[in-house]
Amino acid sequence: EFVDHTFQVIDEGKLNKVAAYFLFGRDDPIPVMFLRVSATLKEKGLKCSSFEKYLERHITLDQETHCPLSRKALMELAGDDSLIWAEIERYAVEAIQQRMRLWDGINESF
């Protein structure tokens, strides 16, 4: 559902919506989520070296590259246009709600 919704947003073709969804639904929250997963693996003493490398790579990419570039893209798209920023805020909330639904669904499956 989460991925399908993301593709629906992409297919709509509204650039500021796509940029907001990727920043607030993916690039910004992923490092924090993956840091928690990584810490939990270490805390539980689980050895998953390939998965740990995967997590570390995504944490680094999102923190150092994806997130700053996404923020820059939004700044360039919106400039000082308060109407576009209001749209971006609305899209950011939608993206975060979609991410929450994903995790709530995962949690309910246990």
Side-chain angles (χ1 to χ4, degrees):
E1 195 176 304
F2 178 76
V3 173
D4 286 342
H5 185 79
T6 300
F7 279 104
Q8 288 171 8
V9 168
I10 292 166
D11 289 341
E12 283 178 39
K14 287 191 77 171
L15 195 52
N16 57 349
K17 186 172 186 176
V18 172
Y21 261 76
F22 274 82
L23 175 59
F24 297 105
R26 294 172 181 273
D27 297 338
D28 192 52
I30 284 175
V32 174
M33 292 185 310
F34 283 7
L35 282 167
R36 290 179 73 187
V37 170
S38 182
T40 300
L41 291 173
K42 289 175 184 150
E43 178 184 300
K44 304 262 183 203
L46 300 172
K47 303 287 185 208
C48 308
S49 61
S50 294
F51 186 52
E52 288 172 19
K53 287 178 188 174
Y54 169 86
L55 293 173
E56 288 172 18
R57 174 130 172 88
H58 275 279
I59 291 165
T60 301
L61 275 173
D62 284 334
Q63 282 179 334
E64 295 177 5
T65 305
H66 295 162
C67 206
L69 288 174
S70 293
R71 283 191 179 104
K72 184 177 178 184
L74 279 177
M75 296 294 289
E76 289 178 12
L77 284 168
D80 58 1
D81 188 323
S82 60
L83 294 175
I84 293 176
W85 280 114
E87 280 186 340
I88 288 170
E89 181 179 355
R90 191 171 64 249
Y91 300 146
V93 169
E94 286 178 25
I96 293 166
Q97 288 171 337
Q98 286 295 321
R99 175 63 72 179
M100 290 169 60
R101 278 191 210 100
L102 170 66
W103 286 110
D104 287 346
I106 291 168
N107 189 48
E108 288 171 11
S109 72
F110 290 101

